[in-house]
Amino acid sequence: MAQALELEVAGRTVRLSSPDKVFFPERGFTKLDLARYYIAVGPGILRALRERPTTLERYPDGIEGEWFFQKRAPKGMPDWIPTAHITFPSGRSADEMCPTEEAAVVWAAQYGTLTFHPWPVRAGDVDHPDELRIDLDPQPGTDYTDAVRAAHELRAVLDEFGGLRGWPKTSGGRGLHVFVPIEPRWTFTQVRRAAIAVGRELERRMPEQVTIKWWKEERGARIFVDYNQTARDRTIASAYSVRPRPEATVSAPLRWTEVDSARPRDFDLATMPARFAELGDVHADMDDHAHSLDALLELARRDEHDHGLGDLPYPPEYPKMPGEPKRVQPSRARKDPAP
């Protein structure tokens, strides 16, 4: 292994050990390539992470080695990287890394962090999200093109219900994410309810192409609107995060005019720096906006009052939530004897 390097990152010096360790064997990208990538897109990923509690997805030996999610701030983290205290659904709590400088991202890359998973809250108020995040997840038999069709209809839904504006990005895989900046005055439960309302409206408009069914056996070859990604402690990869895929793709912010022509494989650890140098952060203005969820929450109220459409299942690791339906997959439920 080559000797450690010292990298200058926006006024900070960050030590990088084993810079020639290969993280992506298929492409030959090393830890140094990863660090240089995050330096190149530093202002963009800091915009996505700034003051947000952030879970680190770490691959210390590259994508073919063991990996883990690190929620608690790593031991030995420099004192210039602040933390935020967050509470999990279990009632347990932790202090999570809360980046405020570009150097914090490179420091995390030194420890094998590929993907950053920020909470949709800021350190000053960790109980009220300031982003509504919509995850358009292609199911078997569908692909990115199908997600694009759903994204365009989603854009229309957001505009119709409150004049909301979403900022799209590739997931780094086959899907699309659309983030909507919101006023931080609703709880996680309320924001999740708004996401469910969005998903149901999309499902009504595109019943053969979109589903909000939680159980995989019911989804079919449709785009799944993963409403549970808005539940507390569920996070989505940040813009500019590198994904643990052989191609070293990244989650790429897009303009709406690019969504149709873009392909997830177009954006990777090698190509994104050039795009960023040319265009900058195409989501740079997102934090200048803060929308209201009132119209979507009214839609959710009407769904429940007029159509009997209440809550949907939470993820399996969550405690039973008030108003949640029976958390059992339909094929098993049908086998249960009648009371």
Side-chain angles (χ1 to χ4, degrees):
M1 289 290 179
Q3 292 185 347
L5 301 175
E6 290 190 343
L7 302 176
E8 293 299 315
V9 188
R12 293 271 186 196
T13 300
V14 178
R15 183 179 183 274
L16 193 77
S17 64
S18 305
D20 57 353
K21 179 184 285 187
V22 176
F23 273 20
F24 294 88
E26 184 174 298
R27 302 290 303 275
F29 294 138
T30 64
K31 183 196 281 192
L32 179 58
D33 293 323
L34 178 69
R36 285 175 171 165
Y37 165 79
Y38 278 127
I39 292 172
V41 301
I45 192 166
L46 181 60
R47 188 267 311 158
L49 301 179
R50 188 188 300 275
E51 298 181 351
R52 297 190 184 280
T54 300
T55 297
L56 309 178
E57 187 175 346
R58 292 178 55 187
Y59 293 76
D61 295 310
I63 64 169
E64 295 184 351
E66 294 185 3
W67 65 279
F68 57 95
F69 287 106
Q70 178 141 15
K71 295 186 176 183
R72 287 171 169 78
K75 294 181 179 179
M77 191 172 71
D79 58 11
W80 51 267
I81 301 179
T83 61
H85 193 73
I86 46 87
T87 302
F88 303 118
S90 64
R92 300 178 68 182
S93 62
D95 294 319
E96 283 203 348
M97 177 183 183
C98 198
T100 56
E101 301 182 36
E102 296 171 31
V105 178
V106 180
W107 178 87
Q110 146 67 14
Y111 292 94
T113 301
L114 299 187
T115 307
F116 294 83
H117 296 265
W119 282 47
V121 300
R122 307 280 183 172
D125 185 353
V126 296
D127 293 317
H128 296 90
D130 67 347
E131 288 181 346
L132 170 65
R133 298 172 174 179
I134 307 297
D135 181 4
L136 300 175
D137 185 9
Q139 300 303 290
T142 63
D143 57 18
Y144 175 81
T145 302
D146 298 296
V148 167
R149 283 193 283 269
H152 284 303
E153 192 61 42
L154 169 63
R155 189 183 186 190
V157 169
L158 292 173
D159 183 62
E160 183 175 335
F161 290 92
L164 280 63
R165 176 185 169 191
W167 277 256
K169 68 183 184 70
T170 67
S171 66
R174 297 185 305 137
L176 273 169
H177 302 150
V178 178
F179 284 13
V180 181
I182 60 175
E183 300 167 9
R185 58 187 179 95
W186 292 278
T187 64
F188 278 93
T189 301
Q190 290 171 311
V191 173
R192 179 178 173 276
R193 192 173 180 223
I196 290 173
V198 167
R200 283 179 168 148
E201 184 64 22
L202 268 179
E203 191 177 52
R204 280 190 285 265
R205 297 182 183 200
M206 306 178 71
E208 301 301 319
Q209 293 84 37
V210 172
T211 182
I212 199 169
K213 299 292 187 183
W214 175 247
W215 303 106
K216 291 182 179 181
E217 64 188 35
E218 296 187 299
R219 294 177 191 170
R222 292 180 285 183
I223 298 298
F224 172 50
V225 182
D226 191 353
Y227 61 90
N228 268 330
Q229 291 292 64
T230 54
R232 180 185 287 271
D233 193 33
R234 293 293 282 247
T235 56
I236 295 178
S238 78
Y240 301 103
S241 273
V242 178
R243 306 315 309 273
R245 302 173 67 88
E247 308 89 354
T249 51
V250 306
S251 182
L254 301 174
R255 297 169 293 198
W256 279 107
T257 54
E258 299 177 297
V259 168
D260 289 279
S261 60
R263 292 295 179 270
R265 291 185 64 139
D266 295 341
F267 311 103
D268 61 30
L269 195 147
T271 62
M272 180 56 83
R275 172 180 167 86
F276 193 89
E278 178 184 357
L279 301 178
D281 179 13
V282 297
H283 287 187
D285 65 331
M286 191 164 71
D287 290 344
D288 298 335
H289 302 264
H291 295 287
S292 170
L293 290 181
D294 287 341
L296 284 179
L297 291 174
E298 173 60 19
L299 175 62
R301 189 198 66 79
R302 294 202 308 268
D303 277 344
E304 184 167 9
H305 182 270
D306 299 343
H307 306 291
L309 299 174
D311 204 355
L312 292 173
Y314 274 78
E317 69 272 17
Y318 275 63
K320 183 69 175 178
M321 302 296 286
E324 181 187 1
K326 190 175 181 180
R327 199 183 297 177
V328 60
Q329 64 193 67
S331 60
R332 293 186 60 187
R334 285 194 291 269
K335 297 176 183 177
D336 292 344

